[in-house]
């Protein structure tokens, strides 16, 4: 399976790419697509990042590709790390409204491109802030269950770490989730905390000790007071500010420590990327796993008897097709009230960004429904239409109108490959990991210089998969060029041509 990282050269995007390769989440025959803007510095930097990753991890790096247009994004999992960020410096405050207004169009542009040119099955992980805005915009276009924000998972990992540190154990021995809005309106769900090796009575005693007689009703006031105190202390000694954080309860540390990191002039790119890589690994693993994330809800959760329709961080089940269900038992009163407050804050943030309806409002969103009905959503409102086989003719075709399986087009590929051991093995690996079998594979005569020859391959695949195969084969170190043509009864036209 393939992964695309939008905003690959930013602080977080670069870390995401590095960790995906370093942790070997992608096999060598998968493709990692680095996406930048053609008119910005990232358009140049993605080429350098690709070279740097190959230099560092050549022994186990996946095929690494570069793209400059949203229309060229082709992947099974898409990480959205593009857009503006808030400054990391002392005294800086996160202006969510300004950030939301600036990044809303970035989210919308990529969502529209994925809807037009994607398979209709991509899972999108939103990293850019405000993560709730990204989820709302992209879920409306792509469908709620295909889009998840990583903020709640990052907050969950921080919460577990703070508890583990206080108990003197490793984080993997602590369970529990954080819900709500990513950042200052995070809601630590103490009722979900589990500690390996403790029975219910022991856990209750431990949690009473950790919570120090507090409830979440006063949590927002505690957060505001903590930030004010940290500003005063950090103005004299940043190290003392961190030592002060260490004296506070675990749930307050969950919010205060990353806020202090931002105030220090550093960033939280490494932790953010680690949480993101976790979610990518879950999706690629093929099994469903319980995590936490921001998603567009449409009544799956009720608070005070009222169904939630909007974006909110919740514990959920994530797998290869996106998130499938929410796992949230009835909450204690203080947690329920705090989560209601977070939901209200998210709603206000979305409205200030000009997003009135944050719920999914259907499955998929407006652009997705238009595409599957045969008309592409037109961002200019001109009402342009595409053929019913898929938006722009590039969606996966899974069947005909009478329910019979669709016939996949036939393709012929001419691959100019180096006369080296491993060329055929690498080529076969690209096809096998994408579930495509050869109809035939033959080799032509080696050129006069004995350096390269032509490999002829015929296969059946959807247009989208054929494009992904072409891009992956082109990036093989032993391949010089690829020409792919459709060979069905329809007029044959070059599908792709790439030369190194």
């Amino acid at each position: 399976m393939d992964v695309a990282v939008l905003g690959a050269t930013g602080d977080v995007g670069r870390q995401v790419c590095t960790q995906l390769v370093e942790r070997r989440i992608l096999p060598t025959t998968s493709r990692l697509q680095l996406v930048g803007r053609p008119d910005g510095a990232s358009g140049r930097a993605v080429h350098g990042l690709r070279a740097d990753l190959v230099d560092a991890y050549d022994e186990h790096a996946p095929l690494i590709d570069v793209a400059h247009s949203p229309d060229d994004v082709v992947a099974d999992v898409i990480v959205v790390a593009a857009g503006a960020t808030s400054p990391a410096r002392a005294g800086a405050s996160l202006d969510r409204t300004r950030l939301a207004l600036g990044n809303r169009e970035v989210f919308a542009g990529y969502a529209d491109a994925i809807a037009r040119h994607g398979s209709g099955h991509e899972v999108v992980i939103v990293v850019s802030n405000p993560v709730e805005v990204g989820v709302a915009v992209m879920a409306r276009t792509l469908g709620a269950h295909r889009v998840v924000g990583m903020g709640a998972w990052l907050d969950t990992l921080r919460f577990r770490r703070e508890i583990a540190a206080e108990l003197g154990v490793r984080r993997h021995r602590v369970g529990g989730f954080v819900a709500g809005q990513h950042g200052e309106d995070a809601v630590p769900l103490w009722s979900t905390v589990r500690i390996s090796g403790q029975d219910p009575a022991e856990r209750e005693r431990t949690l009473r000790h950790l919570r120090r007689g507090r409830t979440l009703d006063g949590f927002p006031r505690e957060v505001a007071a903590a930030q004010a105190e940290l500003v005063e202390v950090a103005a004299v000694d940043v190290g003392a500010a961190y030592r002060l954080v260490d004296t506070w309860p675990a749930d307050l540390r969950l919010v205060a420590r990353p806020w202090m990191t931002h105030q220090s002039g550093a960033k939280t790119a490494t932790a953010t990327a680690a949480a993101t890589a976790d979610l990518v690994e879950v999706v690629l693993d093929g099994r469903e796993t319980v995590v936490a994330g921001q998603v567009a809800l449409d009544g799956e959760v009720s608070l005070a008897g009222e169904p939630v329709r909007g974006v909110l961080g919740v514990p959920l089940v994530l797998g290869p097709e996106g998130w499938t269900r929410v796992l949230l038992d009835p909450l204690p009163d203080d947690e329920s009230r705090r989560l209601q407050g977070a939901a209200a804050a998210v709603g206000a943030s979305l409205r200030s960004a000009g997003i009135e309806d944050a719920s999914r409002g259907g499955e998929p969103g407006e652009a997705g429904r238009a595409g599957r009905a045969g008309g592409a959503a037109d961002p200019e409102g001109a009402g342009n239409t595409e053929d019913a086989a898929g938006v722009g003719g590039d969606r996966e075709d899974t069947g005909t109108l009478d329910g019979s399986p669709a016939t996949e087009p036939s393709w012929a590929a001419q691959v100019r490959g180096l006369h080296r051991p491993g060329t055929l093995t690498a080529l076969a690996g690209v096809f096998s990991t994408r579930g495509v079998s050869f109809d035939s594979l033959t080799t032509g005569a080696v050129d006069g210089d004995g350096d390269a020859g032509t490999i002829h391959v015929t296969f059946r695949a959807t247009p989208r998969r054929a494009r992904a195969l072409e891009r992956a084969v082109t990036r093989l170190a032993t391949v010089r060029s690829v020409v792919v043509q459709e060979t069905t009864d329809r007029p044959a036209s070059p599908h792709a041509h790439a030369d190194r």
Side-chain angles (χ1 to χ4, degrees):
M1 298 181 77
D2 300 332
V3 176
V5 179
L6 314 183
T9 61
D11 291 329
V12 173
R14 183 181 293 269
Q15 274 284 341
V16 169
C17 295
T18 300
Q19 293 195 30
L20 289 175
V21 178
E22 191 173 52
R23 290 167 56 173
R24 307 192 185 193
I25 292 173
L26 295 174
T28 55
T29 51
S30 287
R31 184 170 56 87
L32 174 61
Q33 189 177 53
L34 315 179
V35 185
R37 298 191 315 276
D39 56 346
S42 65
R44 300 186 300 274
V46 285
H47 293 286
L49 175 59
R50 177 183 179 274
D52 191 32
L53 289 171
V54 172
D55 283 346
Y57 305 108
D58 183 64
E59 290 78 11
H60 61 265
L63 303 166
I64 302 179
D65 191 11
V66 167
H68 292 117
S69 169
D71 296 351
D72 291 333
V73 175
V74 180
D76 302 289
V77 182
I78 299 173
V79 175
V80 182
T85 61
S86 57
R89 64 174 183 267
S93 61
L94 176 60
D95 187 339
R96 287 186 174 273
T97 300
R98 180 179 300 178
L99 195 61
L101 289 171
N103 285 346
R104 179 187 62 186
E105 299 308 316
V106 175
F107 298 140
Y110 278 113
D112 289 343
I114 295 167
R116 289 195 307 270
H117 300 287
S119 68
H121 303 292
E122 299 92 348
V123 176
V124 177
I125 299 172
V126 178
V127 181
S128 304
N129 278 315
V131 64
E132 291 81 12
V133 172
V135 169
V137 170
M138 304 198 85
R140 178 183 293 176
T141 301
L142 303 174
H145 285 272
R146 290 170 54 193
V147 181
V148 59
M150 72 85 225
W153 182 239
L154 174 57
D155 292 334
T156 290
L157 293 175
R158 288 169 170 165
F159 186 41
R160 293 177 180 180
R161 177 199 170 277
E162 296 294 354
I163 292 174
E166 193 158 341
L167 297 179
V169 300
R170 300 300 296 271
R171 179 164 59 189
H172 69 270
R173 293 192 57 193
V174 178
F177 297 94
V178 173
Q181 185 178 27
H182 179 48
E184 296 166 24
D185 264 313
V187 181
L189 301 179
W190 283 101
S191 62
T192 66
V193 172
R194 300 292 183 269
I195 301 164
S196 177
Q198 291 194 354
D199 60 32
E202 290 173 318
R203 182 173 68 244
E204 184 178 354
R205 289 193 298 271
T206 298
L207 294 183
R208 280 202 305 268
H209 167 73
L210 292 172
R211 299 191 69 175
R212 308 183 190 183
R214 301 156 48 256
T215 71
L216 292 185
D217 289 325
F219 195 58
R221 293 190 298 275
E222 290 180 329
V223 170
Q227 290 174 346
E229 188 173 3
L230 287 174
V231 168
E232 184 177 343
V233 174
V236 179
D237 185 345
V238 173
Y242 276 103
R243 291 191 292 273
L244 176 61
V245 171
D246 289 337
T247 67
W248 293 337
D251 50 5
L252 189 54
R253 298 198 304 269
L254 148 73
V255 177
R257 196 184 302 279
W259 185 87
M260 188 61 238
T261 297
H262 200 74
Q263 291 290 306
S264 73
K267 294 187 177 181
T268 58
T270 305
T272 300
T276 304
D278 284 349
L279 297 186
V280 172
E281 187 170 23
V282 167
V283 176
L284 297 183
D285 185 55
R287 295 176 293 178
E288 292 191 324
T289 303
V290 181
V291 295
Q294 272 76 15
V295 293
L297 299 170
D298 192 24
E300 293 89 348
V301 171
S302 292
L303 297 173
E306 292 294 327
V308 176
R309 290 186 169 85
V311 178
L312 194 64
V314 289
L316 51 86
V317 178
L318 182 66
E321 297 179 355
W323 66 276
T324 55
R325 59 190 184 278
V326 175
L327 295 180
L328 190 63
D329 293 331
L331 298 172
D333 290 344
D334 65 325
E335 294 181 5
S336 181
R337 287 190 293 267
R338 183 79 287 277
L339 198 53
Q340 284 178 271
V346 172
S349 175
L350 296 179
R351 286 190 296 273
S352 68
I355 304 170
E356 295 298 331
D357 180 16
S359 66
R360 64 179 150 188
E363 186 64 47
E366 294 299 330
R369 286 200 300 274
R372 296 189 182 187
D378 180 15
E380 299 299 327
N384 295 334
T385 59
E386 306 285 353
D387 65 68
V391 181
D394 199 32
R395 286 192 179 276
E396 295 280 7
D397 190 7
T398 56
T400 58
L401 293 176
D402 64 3
S404 60
T407 301
E408 293 180 333
S410 296
W411 305 87
Q414 293 185 11
V415 181
R416 291 271 300 157
L418 298 180
H419 185 48
R420 300 283 190 278
T423 297
L424 289 177
T425 300
L427 179 64
V430 170
F431 278 75
S432 65
T433 56
R434 286 157 180 80
V436 176
S437 300
F438 300 126
D439 287 340
S440 67
L441 187 152
T442 58
T443 56
V446 177
D447 291 344
D449 60 6
D451 188 52
T454 302
I455 306 166
H456 302 275
V457 180
T458 61
F459 61 96
R460 290 184 177 273
T462 62
R464 182 256 179 184
R465 188 159 295 176
R467 180 169 67 172
L469 284 165
E470 179 271 327
R471 296 177 71 93
V473 171
T474 300
R475 291 302 181 186
L476 289 174
T478 55
V479 168
R480 284 184 171 177
S481 66
V482 180
V483 176
V484 179
Q485 291 182 312
E486 190 176 348
T487 61
T488 59
D489 293 336
R490 288 175 283 181
S493 60
H495 176 262
H497 183 264
D499 286 301
R500 284 199 191 274

